Amino acid sequence: MKRILGSNRYLSEWILLLGGLLLVVAVIGVNFYREYVGIGNRERERLATQASVLNKGLDQALEVVDNALIGIRNDLPGWRSTEGGISETSHRLRAFADAMRIVHTMLVLDADGNIIAASRPELIGINVSYRPYFIQARANPNPDILYITPPLKSVFGAWVMNVVRVIQGPEGQFAGVILAALDPEALRDQVGAVLYHKDMWAAIAHGDGLQVVMAPDRPGQDGLNLAQPGSIFSRYMASGQMSQVLEGTSVATGEYRLMALHTVRPPNLPMDKPLVVAVGRNIEALYVGWYAQLWLTGGLLLLLVGGAVPALAYVQQRRQSADVIKAQADAALAQSEYFMRSLINVIPGMVGYWTKELRSTFANDAYLDWFGKTKEQMKGIHIHDLMGDELFQKNDSYIRAALAGERQSFERTLVKADGSIGYTWTHYIPDFMNGQVQGFFVLVSDVTDLKKSEAALRENRRFLQDLIEHSGTLISAKDKEGKYLLVNQMYEQLTGHYRDQVLGHTDLEIYSDQEALPFIENDKFVMSSMKTQRFEELLGAHHFLTTKFPLLDGDGNLSGVCGISADITEQKELQRKMELLANTDALTRLANRRRFHELAELEISRARRFTQNFSVLMLDIDNFKSINDRYGHDVGDKVIAYIGDLCRNELRDIDIAGRLGGEEFAILLPGTSSGGGREVAERLRRDIENHEMELSEGTVLKFTVSIGCVSSTDLSLDIEQLLKRADQCLYEAKRSGRNRVVL
């Protein structure tokens, strides 16, 4: 051993071995550090995504609940003014509460805090003026704000959070509130839907710091105050950001966690207080796998060091005993060298021979040209001196294997003598004599042009993968059986389904039949037509404009279908709202003049097809100008709005009512004879005549209408002609004293 270490060549091998081991340790250490950081960064992104999903869900839920509260509040005056209206209010509250899973209870309270209507009949008559949500609304009665109250125990003993809208009286005074108590179990189900690991939990907290719900449920968490000094919640609220990922000890569980927080504040919904959603993971559990891999790799490194050191000593010892054989082999090789060189120089590749001592005894012209050496310089050169430290270290394992009698083939990147980069495919072929390896042949093919082509192809593929992954559109690919082959990031974000839930599965395995079948039909159409097609597709609440085209394999045969989908949900919703605005009279919520004419023409066409009667009414408010002059246009608007409410409540669903302008209304009654038309007109006239509208300071306004009624079996008449005849009857009703029906 002492003699071996005394050799500079062998000492260099020891230095290279130890240096290589240190380099391996360093590389592994850097990789473990990067993986540690990567795990944290990936989990931050996933948690932030889940918090964003939870935020969007709560945004939509709050907007739906708020629309229901506003709708009930707007209808409340009409219900109060009619007999049995308050009972109808409770019925509507039960219907809304049943329709909205997130709502537990809905209540209407008068100005004194008495429950006058409720989705639960047992609550009617209870006074809750002492409850914080009522006190807060009465102290700051802003009808334009949705009040989000901190969680508190309901009369049923459960922790609930209420959303409240203020009711104003005719003079703008505080007239009570309407509220919806959010169901904690429904909230907990919604929160729990974003959990994807057993060590996770998610929660919703009020902006004041009180926890609303946690999933999975833990005893003692409801109503817990998270706004402790230095807590994750306090740090997040102090930052002023809408979303953030923080580390720290959870007030709720006492665990050190990684938590993504997001402030719930819908942009179109004024709220007095926000909500905060949080999704977290236990950091210790997050890195369990990383620590296990660290210990395993450390053990393997110890085994590597324990095996490499004696192996090198053994190889060097064997090399010493082979020196004698080398001299004999040198003589034999010298005799055949000229012939071999002449023959091998014509081969379009590098050919060489290295002895057991790694000395060169032969190299053809291509070998010399690659490394920029002459024959004299190459003769007897050590392979380490030719290759240099870096290349020798890369090839060392192959060299050892070849000297051990194992044929080696590998790819290598080399720097040529002129400084350019070359790529080679190398073969090390052991040379046996009397069963002993004397050295090895080297055959090297220059594959630089091929590698450059492969590199360009890989770059193109990487560019395409990045383009697909980071595209702002949803991209997916399926095979001919409909199984997903590819989805991108936007697919995961918009559908809420991750790759491991989608890849290898069909739409029927992922979505409901109602959602999946249109996708399948569209895919089949594209594959059968072998043409690019565009479709509008619906998934949940999302509308997509999808371009689909067939996928072909290398032989031009159909292999599947690819879809590129743009989210047009906002455009579709805007279109719906614009259509509603274009077709509806804003004051009465009846059809406007244009929409009434469209609907009436359709109904008349249907009547012609089935030979059915119908009636047309023209209704005008008597002395309407004097009402405006005496009481003001706001009272006039209320009178017009009342007519609209009456039409919606008293007429059938198939009847068509519209405001033609000013105080003039038109009604079409399908399948109604002259007698039936007159009966409906008289009922409307009596209801209006008997209605008393309470104004300020006890003033009561009564008003009447005149109605012209036309019933026709002449199916050649259009709506304009019918309205003209009804208008003549209306004129006759006005002329003959008003407050009457003329047929």
Side-chain angles (χ1 to χ4, degrees):
M1 189 70 175
K2 182 176 182 181
R3 183 176 59 181
I4 293 175
L5 291 177
S7 169
N8 290 334
R9 183 180 65 181
Y10 291 174
L11 179 60
S12 298
E13 291 176 355
W14 281 104
I15 293 174
L16 285 174
L17 175 62
L18 296 177
L21 291 174
L22 289 175
L23 179 61
V24 170
V25 172
V27 170
I28 292 176
V30 170
N31 287 337
F32 266 96
Y33 174 76
R34 288 178 177 174
E35 179 62 17
Y36 184 92
V37 174
I39 290 172
N41 290 339
R42 289 192 297 272
E43 196 61 30
R44 286 172 178 268
E45 292 178 1
R46 290 188 71 182
L47 291 176
T49 298
Q50 298 301 87
S52 177
V53 169
L54 194 52
N55 168 65
K56 290 180 181 178
L58 286 175
D59 275 358
Q60 296 172 356
L62 288 175
E63 289 179 354
V64 170
V65 174
D66 184 59
N67 288 337
L69 295 178
I70 292 175
I72 295 172
R73 184 178 65 181
N74 292 342
D75 293 340
L76 194 58
W79 289 334
R80 284 178 167 172
S81 63
T82 60
E83 182 178 355
I86 295 302
S87 176
E88 175 64 21
T89 303
S90 294
H91 176 74
R92 288 290 298 277
L93 292 179
R94 284 194 299 275
F96 273 116
D98 292 339
M100 295 182 290
R101 183 173 179 269
I102 197 174
V103 174
H104 182 271
T105 304
M106 297 185 75
L107 307 174
V108 177
L109 283 65
D110 63 18
D112 297 322
N114 296 309
I115 298 176
I116 61 173
S119 62
R120 297 192 173 199
E122 65 268 24
L123 298 177
I124 297 176
I126 297 175
N127 185 282
V128 292
S129 59
Y130 63 92
R131 300 292 273 184
Y133 54 79
F134 182 83
I135 295 173
Q136 179 185 8
R138 184 169 56 188
N140 182 27
N142 189 338
D144 297 325
I145 291 178
L146 179 68
Y147 292 90
I148 308 295
T149 68
L152 75 167
K153 279 195 174 182
S154 68
V155 296
F156 298 104
W159 281 89
V160 297
M161 181 178 66
N162 299 319
V163 292
V164 180
R165 278 284 188 176
V166 170
I167 302 172
Q168 285 189 323
E171 300 299 323
Q173 75 276 17
F174 176 75
V177 300
I178 179 171
L179 68 84
L182 302 187
D183 189 340
E185 292 306 317
L187 288 174
R188 187 171 286 110
D189 290 344
Q190 186 168 352
V191 168
V194 304
L195 304 182
Y196 55 83
H197 202 278
K198 62 182 180 181
D199 66 271
M200 292 181 65
W201 57 257
I204 302 175
H206 188 268
D208 289 342
L210 295 185
Q211 185 162 275
V212 181
V213 293
M214 172 188 280
D217 190 18
R218 300 189 182 186
Q221 295 296 323
D222 294 341
L224 181 67
N225 185 5
L226 304 178
Q228 303 297 327
S231 68
I232 296 177
F233 180 89
S234 297
R235 286 159 51 201
Y236 169 69
M237 296 302 289
S239 72
Q241 297 187 33
M242 290 296 292
S243 63
Q244 199 174 18
V245 181
L246 298 172
E247 289 185 21
T249 301
S250 167
V251 172
T253 64
E255 301 167 333
Y256 194 75
R257 303 188 74 82
L258 182 66
M259 297 189 65
L261 301 99
H262 203 298
T263 299
V264 180
R265 189 183 285 277
N268 300 323
L269 181 58
M271 296 163 42
D272 67 323
K273 295 287 185 178
L275 296 177
V276 176
V277 295
V279 183
R281 285 203 65 182
N282 188 304
I283 289 183
E284 182 179 348
L286 179 63
Y287 291 103
V288 166
W290 182 87
Y291 282 113
Q293 188 64 31
L294 179 64
W295 282 107
L296 176 61
T297 304
L300 293 176
L301 283 175
L302 289 177
L303 290 175
L304 175 63
V305 173
V309 171
L312 179 58
Y314 174 78
V315 170
Q316 290 180 345
Q317 187 69 42
R318 290 289 303 272
R319 192 185 302 154
Q320 287 284 329
S321 64
D323 286 343
V324 176
I325 301 174
K326 173 186 175 299
Q328 298 172 353
D330 286 345
L333 288 173
Q335 295 176 2
S336 59
E337 181 177 355
Y338 176 79
F339 174 79
M340 292 176 58
R341 182 178 297 277
S342 300
L343 178 64
I344 297 176
N345 275 337
V346 299
I347 297 176
M350 292 184 283
V351 180
Y353 184 88
W354 298 89
T355 67
K356 293 187 298 185
E357 294 74 34
L358 303 183
R359 298 286 177 176
S360 174
T361 61
F362 176 81
N364 70 346
D365 292 344
Y367 214 124
L368 299 175
D369 292 341
W370 184 282
F371 288 97
K373 300 291 185 181
T374 65
K375 293 180 180 179
E376 290 72 24
Q377 292 171 328
M378 196 71 177
K379 187 65 175 180
I381 192 172
H382 194 278
I383 196 170
H384 179 276
D385 298 332
L386 179 68
M387 292 181 172
D389 289 341
E390 182 178 355
L391 181 57
F392 179 80
Q393 184 177 349
K394 291 180 179 179
N395 287 14
D396 182 61
S397 61
Y398 301 109
I399 294 171
R400 293 178 185 277
L403 292 175
E406 300 174 6
R407 184 167 180 158
Q408 302 294 301
S409 298
F410 58 91
E411 189 177 328
R412 180 66 68 226
T413 302
L414 299 175
V415 180
K416 297 182 179 181
D418 60 2
S420 63
I421 301 297
Y423 301 90
T424 64
W425 183 252
T426 302
H427 301 273
Y428 286 175
I429 304 172
D431 178 28
F432 289 94
M433 181 179 291
N434 298 324
Q436 299 293 323
V437 177
Q438 304 303 312
F440 59 93
F441 297 95
V442 177
L443 304 178
V444 181
S445 301
D446 188 350
V447 293
T448 301
D449 293 338
L450 177 61
K451 291 299 295 183
K452 288 181 178 178
S453 299
E454 290 178 350
L457 180 60
R458 284 196 302 271
E459 179 61 22
N460 289 338
R461 287 178 176 174
R462 184 200 62 78
F463 174 78
L464 180 60
Q465 287 173 348
D466 288 346
L467 185 64
I468 292 173
E469 187 63 15
H470 301 292
S471 171
T473 58
L474 184 153
I475 299 177
S476 64
K478 309 171 190 173
D479 63 16
K480 290 190 293 185
E481 288 70 38
K483 294 181 180 179
Y484 278 89
L485 304 173
L486 175 147
V487 295
N488 67 347
Q489 245 181 62
M490 187 58 64
Y491 182 99
E492 293 180 312
Q493 293 176 12
L494 292 182
T495 66
H497 293 279
Y498 293 100
R499 285 177 174 84
D500 56 355
Q501 300 171 310
V502 174
L503 298 183
H505 297 279
T506 65
D507 289 311
L508 282 173
E509 294 171 333
I510 302 169
Y511 306 107
S512 67
D513 291 353
Q514 183 178 1
E515 293 173 320
L517 289 177
F519 299 159
I520 296 171
E521 290 301 319
N522 294 342
D523 292 345
K524 289 181 178 178
F525 181 70
V526 170
M527 289 189 286
S528 63
S529 67
M530 292 296 287
K531 294 181 180 179
T532 299
Q533 307 287 347
R534 300 183 73 187
F535 309 96
E536 280 195 18
E537 296 181 329
L538 180 66
L539 180 59
H542 289 279
H543 291 263
F544 294 99
L545 180 60
T546 301
T547 300
K548 293 189 174 182
F549 55 89
L551 295 175
L552 306 178
D553 60 20
D555 297 326
N557 298 319
L558 179 69
S559 63
V561 62
C562 180
I564 302 175
S565 304
D567 190 350
I568 59 170
T569 305
E570 293 183 1
Q571 294 92 317
K572 296 294 287 185
E573 179 63 19
L574 179 60
Q575 177 183 348
R576 186 191 67 79
K577 292 181 179 179
M578 293 297 291
E579 290 177 353
L580 182 63
L581 291 174
N583 296 327
T584 306
D585 174 64
L587 184 58
T588 63
R589 291 182 290 161
L590 299 177
N592 57 20
R593 174 185 287 272
R594 180 181 62 81
R595 184 60 174 166
F596 176 81
H597 277 252
E598 291 175 354
L599 296 175
E601 288 292 354
L602 291 174
E603 187 56 39
I604 291 174
S605 296
R606 192 186 68 82
R608 291 191 187 112
R609 188 162 62 250
F610 296 103
T611 316
Q612 293 181 342
N613 295 335
F614 57 87
S615 298
V616 176
L617 310 182
M618 286 285 286
L619 182 152
D620 188 88
I621 303 172
D622 297 329
N623 301 312
F624 183 73
K625 183 177 183 302
S626 64
I627 294 175
N628 278 337
D629 293 342
R630 181 176 180 182
Y631 300 102
H633 287 280
D634 57 336
V635 173
D637 287 347
K638 290 182 179 180
V639 172
I640 291 174
Y642 170 75
I643 301 297
D645 292 340
L646 182 66
C647 288
R648 283 193 306 278
N649 294 332
E650 294 295 323
L651 297 177
R652 300 169 300 175
D653 291 340
I654 62 172
D655 298 333
I656 303 170
R659 181 186 177 195
L660 302 185
E663 68 275 20
E664 190 174 48
F665 296 80
I667 301 170
L668 188 145
L669 305 172
T672 305
S673 63
S674 59
R678 183 180 187 89
E679 181 181 346
V680 172
E682 280 293 334
R683 185 172 72 251
L684 292 175
R685 185 196 65 77
R686 288 195 303 272
D687 289 345
I688 295 170
E689 179 185 25
N690 296 331
H691 177 68
E692 294 183 350
M693 182 176 291
E694 295 184 5
L695 306 179
S696 59
E697 299 178 355
T699 304
V700 175
L701 171 64
K702 299 189 64 153
F703 53 91
T704 61
V705 296
S706 297
I707 303 175
C709 176
V710 172
S711 296
S712 176
T713 57
D714 185 353
L715 301 180
S716 65
L717 298 177
D718 60 21
I719 187 60
E720 289 291 349
Q721 294 169 317
L722 292 168
L723 288 175
K724 185 174 181 180
R725 292 186 179 185
D727 190 56
Q728 293 171 351
C729 294
L730 173 64
Y731 175 78
E732 179 61 25
K734 291 281 189 180
R735 190 188 64 79
S736 59
R738 298 184 176 87
N739 190 24
R740 63 193 60 207
V741 175
V742 172
L743 182 64

